[in-house]
Amino acid sequence: MINGKKIIALCTSRIYDSQQHSYIKKLNKRLNDLDMRLFIYTLNMDLYWNEDTTNSEAGVFDLIPYDRIDAVVLMDEKIKSRTVSSSIIAQARFNSVPVIVVDAEYEGSTNVYYNYTAGFEKVVRHVIEDHGVTRSHFMAGIRNNHFSDERLNCYKKVLKENGLPFDESMVSYGEFWAVPTREAMRKLLERDELPQAIICANDIMAINVMDVLTEANIRIPEDIIVTGFDGILEGDICSPTLTTASCSSTQLANAVTKAITSRLNGEKCENIAVVPEFMPKRSCGCAGCPSDDNVTNSFNIGFYRYEDDMRVLYEMSVKMQLSESIESAVHCMRGDKTEEMCCIISKNCLLTDRNFFLEDTEMDMSDMCVIYDSYHYPDEIKDFDAENIAPGIESLIESHYPLIFNILDYLNKPFGYTVFSYHRYDITEYSKSASVTNTLNLGLGGLMTLRYQRFLSSKIAQMYLNDNLTGLYNRQGFKAVIDSELEKPVNFGKQLTVLMLDIDGLKYINDNHGHDAGDKAIAKGASALKEACPPDAYCVRFGGDEMFALIIGECNSDTIISQINSILEESSKNEEFEIKASCGAFSQPITQGMDLNSVIKRADEQMYEIKKARKQHK
């Protein structure tokens, strides 16, 4: 419960499907009448009953705050994973949250189910009894599939009751999909005698059956009657309109609401059956309802709008991936395609020296941040406690519209989630929620991967160009940058100073304190050199304990050497040995084609003069 409102979590997929969208709209209105609110946790693709493969998109159901919700509605046939559904039910039971399962049976849950057999029987009886068809054919789904076999048995039953024979030649298998159906139909058309009617186990197969018949110049329904089962939107815009049976979203919303209220009131609730409604149309020869031009126009507008959205979202994804930082990528997100939403990701994704997707770590819901909130500008990355579900959750639920949750995942690993809070029931917006989420998956996931690749490239370049012990340029690195710098006309005439540094008594340190101590002395010398020189100086280790700095522009080499000595004196206080260095410098103006090696040699000579003098002084 939030703000005194009971919260119902709907677990489903494909909310942009027309039947799903209609059901959600009606269910939300019923719940609002009871002062309840709907949170939708949705997959953008169902899981196809593949129990052997882990699909990271199912992580959206891990977002459900069982301590804040009052009931779960589980659309099992939409999710299509017994494993995922069982996990949701187990979590709900552990938190004493009632579960209403739609289109499946799970022990201990209230089940709202479609009586598909009763609905399909209406279609078959209409063809056989009302139209008097004696020579029919059945386009089944998948062999040994429960739903397909159930409808096949219903077909056989009606034939038997009407005294009509049945044999296996009267069945083809379209596997509930387009390509297998078209192949089965082409084989059927090779027969000497064609059926009077083709009764299909779903609408997708029926639509493709009609398309193949039309290509063969066979008239529907004059030559062959065709029927489907499902009531999908495409059946109303094909020609002729498709006779079918539809699972009424109104009946389903009413049944689910009844089950919710009964369970929340502590009442025993028996399983509730919803019978699909028979819808005679022109594909069987009935007048039915004419094709609705508004539906067709809406479908076309939605299609072209979808195409436009895809182009814009693709460009957004590319810009995000090529961004230099998360902040600049977030800036690319803002626009009319990302209104009424927020984006929350793991804070581990912000780290530039790690690739979250390659690590064996899970998304930690206690360590999240909001990177985008369309309701607030300017964009700002802020820590977020996922216990709050979404930024401004209290005000969002007052809108009376559902909140839609999508998981963000990349390389099959969840890394955050999106929350959409549309203030209208627009199926195009619901479809866009999936497209936007997929865009962010690619945009953010690609950015983090490319950013890590850039990090690795810089580390490799650093290993090649920089000395591992000191971090100063090595010979290759120095040569790669200095030649072009000295050839710039803007630098001609400027003072060039080379300052050499050599650690005193390094052999003594190595012999008496070990080579690790010697390395530490070299590193301390390099650090002092870099700290004392101007920020734009080129500091180089040529080998051993010999280092130098090359400075373009005016500088006081005596002051720099004095600072080096002071820094080393201070560093020695924390060591068991004294760190000293001999330094020498030489300066001359930069000229075109000057011999840098001679300048370095002169500085080196100055350094050795000082070292020699120190030894004589001892």
Side-chain angles (χ1 to χ4, degrees):
M1 183 176 287
I2 301 175
N3 275 12
K5 314 288 185 187
K6 286 185 169 61
I7 306 298
I8 311 303
L10 174 64
C11 303
T12 188
S13 74
R14 298 175 181 264
I15 60 172
Y16 46 83
D17 173 81
S18 59
Q19 290 178 320
Q20 273 274 84
H21 177 262
S22 176
Y23 160 63
I24 289 169
K25 179 178 178 180
K26 291 179 172 65
L27 176 62
N28 191 64
K29 288 183 176 180
R30 301 291 186 279
L31 295 177
N32 276 331
D33 291 341
L34 298 170
D35 205 26
M36 300 181 189
R37 297 294 182 267
L38 185 63
F39 287 4
I40 303 172
Y41 297 87
T42 181
L43 303 168
N44 293 324
M45 296 290 288
D46 61 48
L47 302 179
Y48 299 105
W49 306 113
N50 189 347
E51 310 294 352
D52 298 326
T53 302
T54 301
N55 189 314
S56 60
E57 197 181 359
V60 69
F61 304 121
D62 295 331
L63 302 176
I64 300 172
Y66 290 97
D67 59 336
R68 309 287 294 279
I69 65 170
D70 297 275
V72 172
V73 177
L74 177 61
M75 307 295 290
D76 183 76
E77 175 61 23
K78 300 300 180 184
I79 294 172
K80 290 183 170 57
S81 172
R82 194 83 180 175
T83 302
V84 172
S85 293
S86 296
S87 175
I88 295 170
I89 293 170
Q91 288 281 348
R93 284 179 183 167
F94 181 80
N95 289 274
S96 302
V97 176
V99 180
I100 291 85
V101 179
V102 176
D103 227 7
E105 289 191 18
Y106 288 84
E107 186 178 353
S109 302
T110 298
N111 303 305
V112 177
Y113 66 96
Y114 284 116
N115 191 335
Y116 290 114
T117 301
F120 191 69
E121 186 173 328
K122 292 179 182 179
V123 178
V124 180
R125 288 195 182 278
H126 178 71
V127 173
I128 302 300
E129 297 174 358
D130 297 342
H131 286 282
V133 169
T134 58
R135 197 173 67 256
S136 61
H137 192 85
F138 183 66
M139 185 63 71
I142 301 170
R143 293 178 188 272
N144 302 317
N145 172 271
H146 168 72
F147 293 105
S148 179
D149 290 347
E150 189 178 67
R151 290 164 206 180
L152 177 57
N153 290 333
C154 177
Y155 171 68
K156 292 177 182 178
K157 171 192 167 187
V158 174
L159 290 180
K160 184 176 180 180
E161 290 178 0
N162 283 272
L164 297 174
F166 170 82
D167 63 70
E168 292 300 325
S169 67
M170 298 166 65
V171 181
S172 297
Y173 289 89
E175 300 182 13
F176 290 127
W177 203 238
V179 174
T181 299
R182 300 176 81 87
E183 291 175 354
M185 270 305 301
R186 292 187 183 103
K187 290 181 181 178
L188 183 61
L189 290 178
E190 294 173 358
R191 297 185 183 182
D192 294 332
E193 185 177 49
L194 296 179
Q196 297 169 305
I198 300 175
I199 300 169
C200 302
N202 77 350
D203 285 351
I204 289 292
M205 293 193 295
I207 291 169
N208 281 275
V209 164
M210 289 198 296
D211 193 36
V212 174
L213 290 175
T214 301
E215 289 175 356
N217 295 317
I218 296 173
R219 299 173 301 165
I220 307 162
E222 292 86 354
D223 299 326
I224 297 179
I225 288 171
V226 179
T227 63
F229 186 76
D230 275 341
I232 64 175
L233 177 63
E234 288 86 342
D236 281 336
I237 60 177
C238 64
S239 180
T241 53
L242 180 63
T243 293
T244 185
S246 176
C247 301
S248 167
S249 56
T250 300
Q251 288 185 48
L252 180 59
N254 290 340
V256 170
T257 304
K258 178 183 176 181
I260 291 171
T261 53
S262 296
R263 292 294 302 271
L264 292 181
N265 291 333
E267 302 168 359
K268 184 178 180 180
C269 184
E270 301 294 338
N271 293 344
I272 303 173
V274 177
V275 178
E277 297 177 350
F278 176 57
M279 302 171 64
K281 300 287 181 66
R282 292 180 174 177
S283 70
C284 70
C286 294
C289 299
S291 179
D292 189 341
D293 289 338
N294 289 330
V295 172
T296 305
N297 290 338
S298 176
F299 188 86
N300 286 333
I301 291 170
F303 174 78
Y304 289 113
R305 181 175 168 186
Y306 172 83
E307 290 290 301
D308 289 342
D309 285 351
M310 287 299 96
R311 177 185 56 78
V312 173
L313 291 174
Y314 170 75
E315 291 174 356
M316 179 193 299
S317 171
V318 171
K319 289 178 181 177
M320 290 176 69
Q321 292 181 68
L322 297 178
S323 297
E324 292 297 322
S325 65
I326 290 284
E327 289 80 2
S328 55
V330 169
H331 181 72
C332 298
M333 289 170 56
R334 189 164 288 277
D336 64 330
K337 302 296 180 285
T338 53
E339 294 176 340
E340 300 176 302
M341 68 160 290
C342 66
C343 180
I344 299 160
I345 67 171
S346 168
K347 285 200 286 189
N348 284 330
C349 296
L350 303 179
L351 302 175
T352 58
D353 60 345
R354 293 167 58 184
N355 188 335
F356 174 75
F357 305 108
L358 300 181
E359 296 178 349
D360 189 22
T361 56
E362 300 298 326
M363 182 174 69
D364 184 356
M365 293 298 291
S366 66
D367 197 29
M368 307 292 284
C369 61
V370 178
I371 64 168
Y372 178 79
D373 184 352
S374 66
Y375 296 103
H376 293 90
Y377 188 82
D379 298 317
E380 180 184 2
I381 296 177
K382 297 178 290 187
D383 288 352
F384 180 71
D385 185 351
E387 288 289 322
N388 294 326
I389 303 172
I393 185 67
E394 292 81 5
S395 61
L396 291 177
I397 65 172
E398 294 302 325
S399 73
H400 300 277
Y401 289 91
L403 295 186
I404 302 168
F405 295 81
N406 277 254
I407 201 71
L408 289 169
D409 69 296
Y410 187 75
L411 299 180
N412 207 32
K413 186 173 184 178
F415 66 94
Y417 60 98
T418 54
V419 185
F420 296 87
S421 49
Y422 297 126
H423 289 72
R424 56 201 166 279
Y425 298 109
D426 185 338
I427 193 168
T428 309
E429 299 289 352
Y430 277 44
S431 176
K432 191 170 70 177
S433 69
S435 302
V436 168
T437 299
N438 288 333
T439 296
L440 300 185
N441 289 338
L442 293 174
L444 293 172
L447 165 67
M448 286 178 254
T449 299
L450 290 173
R451 184 184 61 183
Y452 185 63
Q453 289 177 352
R454 287 195 292 268
F455 167 76
L456 292 179
S457 296
S458 68
K459 293 294 287 184
I460 293 171
Q462 186 178 7
M463 291 169 61
Y464 175 73
L465 300 175
N466 295 83
D467 175 62
N468 288 335
L469 176 61
T470 64
L472 305 184
Y473 281 115
N474 57 25
R475 287 177 182 269
Q476 295 95 326
F478 176 66
K479 187 163 182 60
V481 297
I482 200 61
D483 287 347
S484 60
E485 194 67 27
L486 294 180
E487 289 300 319
K488 290 180 180 177
V490 69
N491 287 327
F492 294 164
K494 289 183 180 180
Q495 178 177 279
L496 175 69
T497 300
V498 175
L499 191 152
M500 300 294 296
L501 180 150
D502 186 88
I503 301 296
D504 292 340
L506 182 62
K507 184 177 186 306
Y508 174 84
I509 296 173
N510 283 330
D511 292 344
N512 291 275
H513 299 278
H515 286 278
D516 285 346
D519 286 348
K520 181 178 285 189
I522 294 171
K524 292 281 188 181
S527 179
L529 178 67
K530 195 167 183 64
E531 184 178 342
C533 289
D536 56 354
Y538 296 90
C539 297
V540 187
R541 181 189 180 197
F542 259 26
D545 60 338
E546 292 187 0
M547 293 163 269
F548 70 86
L550 187 148
I551 304 164
I552 297 175
E554 296 296 326
C555 69
N556 189 319
S557 58
D558 292 337
T559 301
I560 293 172
I561 292 171
S562 177
Q563 284 181 288
I564 290 173
N565 291 331
S566 297
I567 293 169
L568 290 178
E569 182 179 352
E570 187 66 27
S571 296
S572 296
K573 293 178 180 179
N574 300 319
E575 305 296 340
E576 298 177 355
F577 48 87
E578 187 178 28
I579 306 173
K580 286 187 175 183
S582 297
C583 298
F586 180 79
S587 299
Q588 75 170 54
I590 298 174
T591 58
Q592 188 173 12
M594 70 178 295
D595 183 3
L596 178 60
N597 287 332
S598 68
V599 181
I600 294 173
K601 183 179 180 181
R602 294 288 296 274
D604 193 45
E605 291 170 351
Q606 291 290 324
M607 182 267 293
Y608 273 107
E609 284 294 326
I610 293 171
K611 185 179 279 288
K612 181 179 178 182
R614 281 188 174 181
K615 287 181 179 180
Q616 290 175 348
H617 181 71
K618 286 181 179 181

